[in-house]
Amino acid sequence: MARKIFSRGSERLAQAGSVAVIGLGRFGGALALELEAQGTEVLGIDADENIVQSFNGRLTHVVRADATKEEVLRQLSVHEFDRAVVGIGSDIEASILTTSRLLKFQGPQIWAKAISEPHAEILGQLGVEHVIRPEHDMGKRVAHLVRGGILDYVEFEDDFVMIRTSPPSQALDRPLGILGLRDKYGITVVAVKRLGGTWGHTTAQTVLYDDDQIIVQGSKTQAEKFSTLT
């Protein structure tokens, strides 16, 4: 059974838009706190009493419970949530059991953390659409950053990326509309940030300068090649 629930209010656990985060370690805990900071109500669940105590007053609800048991999840109304995150990483068996219980509900949209390729494969075979590999994904992302030229990097499916970089000399001092960057390099400059300013969308009339930062979208190969131009 679930132990005492620490709550900041008397509202129902499964409010519209709220998220259940199961496993409050480094990944799950950081995710839960960021959701709260963005105004999302969170039910945090962990089997460790000390961890649960550390989140008391920081999350909408937090409870010590064994999430591998279906009756416990139902007691906590997790089956009524729209979204659930399984952040359990240290115990693969608990991660798989918890995820399988959630899938049985056919209710919450599920994100599940995997700590290895086999773990990710099993979660995928269970039917989890959103399998997260934080260290693996961050390693890939940082690999692009350390090559130089790229200040930030986001990769989507189908070989599509968005990168933050500095404009090369070929893109300076003339309106984007006459540069033909898409035809020449296969990319689109979608936003610009002036020195000391904030981000804004580009137009055909936007002129870039050498102290700007820009966001470029396109295929991985073309966007990265553009970022290496001088």
Side-chain angles (χ1 to χ4, degrees):
M1 297 293 288
R3 299 296 182 90
K4 179 180 177 181
I5 299 173
F6 296 103
S7 176
R8 293 207 302 255
S10 58
E11 64 273 17
R12 292 176 62 249
L13 297 182
Q15 294 287 334
S18 56
V19 179
V21 179
I22 303 170
L24 297 173
R26 285 177 296 181
F27 170 76
L31 184 146
L33 291 174
E34 182 62 22
L35 286 170
E36 284 277 352
Q38 297 301 319
T40 300
E41 295 186 352
V42 175
L43 166 62
I45 304 172
D46 201 280
D48 188 302
E49 179 70 28
N50 291 329
I51 290 177
V52 168
Q53 289 284 352
S54 72
F55 282 92
N56 183 17
R58 304 169 72 191
L59 301 179
T60 315
H61 312 280
V62 61
V63 59
R64 180 189 175 191
D66 182 356
T68 65
K69 299 184 182 300
E70 180 179 341
E71 62 271 22
V72 170
L73 294 174
R74 288 191 180 277
Q75 178 190 4
L76 295 172
S77 302
V78 174
H79 60 292
E80 298 178 3
F81 277 73
D82 295 325
R83 292 161 294 172
V85 179
V86 181
I88 302 170
S90 58
D91 188 337
I92 294 179
E93 180 179 349
S95 166
I96 293 170
L97 281 172
T98 299
T99 303
S100 66
R101 304 291 187 251
L102 294 172
L103 287 166
K104 183 179 178 181
F105 295 151
Q106 298 182 341
Q109 198 173 46
I110 301 168
W111 281 258
K113 173 186 173 181
I115 61 172
S116 65
E117 185 61 39
H119 188 189
E121 184 177 346
I122 292 170
L123 292 172
Q125 290 172 346
L126 286 173
V128 179
E129 293 186 13
H130 307 286
V131 177
I132 310 159
R133 295 185 61 190
E135 293 185 355
H136 173 268
D137 295 341
M138 182 56 72
K140 288 180 62 178
R141 179 171 176 270
V142 171
H144 294 281
L145 302 183
V146 299
R147 293 177 60 193
I150 297 177
L151 303 174
D152 209 347
Y153 180 94
V154 180
E155 182 174 347
F156 303 89
E157 63 271 12
D158 303 321
D159 193 42
F160 186 83
V161 302
M162 298 185 73
I163 65 173
R164 178 164 60 101
T165 186
S166 299
S169 59
Q170 293 91 327
L172 299 178
D173 303 322
R174 289 186 295 164
L176 288 174
I178 68 173
L179 290 176
L181 297 179
R182 186 178 300 177
D183 292 333
K184 291 179 182 177
Y185 303 107
I187 59 88
T188 302
V189 179
V190 297
V192 60
K193 182 179 181 181
R194 306 295 188 194
L195 184 66
T198 58
W199 286 104
H201 295 292
T202 59
T203 69
Q205 289 73 45
T206 299
V207 177
L208 302 179
Y209 304 103
D210 59 5
D211 55 0
D212 290 338
Q213 290 185 17
I214 56 175
I215 294 178
V216 174
Q217 66 180 26
S219 73
K220 182 190 302 184
T221 300
Q222 290 169 318
E224 291 189 351
K225 183 176 180 180
F226 182 78
S227 73
T228 64
L229 297 176
T230 58

